[in-house]
Amino acid sequence: TQVPQYILEEACATGKAVDVVVTQPRRIAAIGVADRIASERGEQCGDVVGYAIKGEARLSPRTALTLCTTGVALRRLQEDGLEGVTHDIV
């Protein structure tokens, strides 16, 4: 969970726009890790840090770090080839 945060912090410091996607093997892991990262950053989950799982997503236009299940990532890859994603952490 530290590598995505380092990427996000560097992007904020340099003013670069990023879209980081981190895959998690289970739904509960994606939700829990997203909540923990948002909490460590002093933010609400669903703002800059969010998650996407089958049937549910907590994202906003400001979301730069998305945790998702591998199934969601594969479906997104099939649909748009992860267009706009700057970093993909599996």
Side-chain angles (χ1 to χ4, degrees), residues 1-85:
T1 61
Q2 295 299 310
V3 172
Q5 289 187 71
Y6 292 144
I7 294 169
L8 192 56
E9 288 172 13
E10 177 67 20
C12 289
T14 60
K16 293 182 181 177
V18 294
D19 186 4
V20 182
V21 173
V22 181
T23 60
Q24 294 291 316
R26 306 269 187 269
R27 297 165 56 104
I28 194 72
I31 295 169
V33 174
D35 283 336
R36 192 175 91 228
I37 291 173
S39 174
E40 288 175 2
R41 293 179 51 80
E43 302 171 353
Q44 293 287 343
C45 185
D47 189 25
V48 175
V49 179
Y51 66 84
I53 58 175
K54 184 177 180 181
E56 182 182 351
R58 288 185 71 187
L59 305 170
S60 76
R62 293 188 56 215
T63 301
L65 175 58
T66 304
L67 287 99
C68 64
T69 56
T70 52
V72 169
L74 287 172
R75 191 170 0 153
R76 188 170 169 188
L77 180 61
Q78 290 173 334
E79 291 175 0
D80 65 10
L82 295 177
E83 185 176 329
V85 173

